[in-house]
Amino acid sequence: MKTYETMKAVRFQHCDPAGVVFTPQYFNLFMEVVEDWFTHLDYSFSKIVIKEHQGIPAMRIVARFQKPSFLGDQLQFVLNVKRLRKKKYPDQYHCFL
C-alpha cells in the first residue's frame, strides 16, 4: 500500500467563531489532501476535472472524531492508496490530531 502524508494547519476559515473546526470543514481539508497528493505525483488535479471531465467520487464517507481541533492546530493527514488503476483514485483517508 502506498502512503501519502502531509500536515495541514487549521485556519480561521475552517473554524466557528470560538476557534473550533466546524465539522464539515474536515471534508474540505480531506479534499485539499487529495489535490496535494496529485501535485506530489506531478499530475494536475485541475486537468482531471476541467479537461478530462473526471472526478474523485466519494462512494462512502465515514468519520469518527476523537477530539476537537482548534485554530492554529497542525493536523497530520495520511492518505493510504490500496491500488492504483488507470484512474488514480485514493481509497482511504486518515487524519490524526
Side-chain angles (χ1 to χ4, degrees):
M1 179 180 337
K2 303 288 184 190
T3 300
Y4 172 72
E5 297 184 38
T6 190
M7 299 295 289
K8 290 283 184 188
V10 173
R11 299 177 182 215
F12 182 72
Q13 68 188 20
H14 302 127
C15 298
D16 64 16
V20 179
V21 173
F22 181 54
T23 303
Q25 289 295 333
Y26 285 105
F27 298 98
N28 290 332
L29 287 162
F30 296 155
M31 194 62 223
E32 286 181 25
V33 171
V34 171
E35 291 184 41
D36 293 348
W37 176 63
F38 277 96
T39 299
H40 176 77
L41 295 175
D42 292 323
Y43 198 82
S44 171
F45 185 80
S46 61
K47 179 181 174 185
I48 293 170
V49 174
I50 295 170
K51 294 189 178 186
E52 297 177 7
H53 305 286
Q54 299 292 320
I56 306 295
M59 302 305 285
R60 180 174 178 233
I61 298 174
V62 176
R64 186 176 65 206
F65 301 98
Q66 303 294 323
K67 62 181 182 176
S69 299
F70 300 92
L71 181 63
D73 284 353
Q74 293 288 319
L75 306 180
Q76 177 188 13
F77 288 83
V78 179
L79 187 150
N80 294 315
V81 181
K82 290 183 179 178
R83 61 189 166 269
L84 288 175
R85 301 178 190 158
K86 183 177 179 184
K87 296 178 181 173
K88 302 176 177 107
Y89 298 153
D91 288 334
Q92 295 181 0
Y93 313 99
H94 298 279
C95 172
F96 298 99
L97 306 177

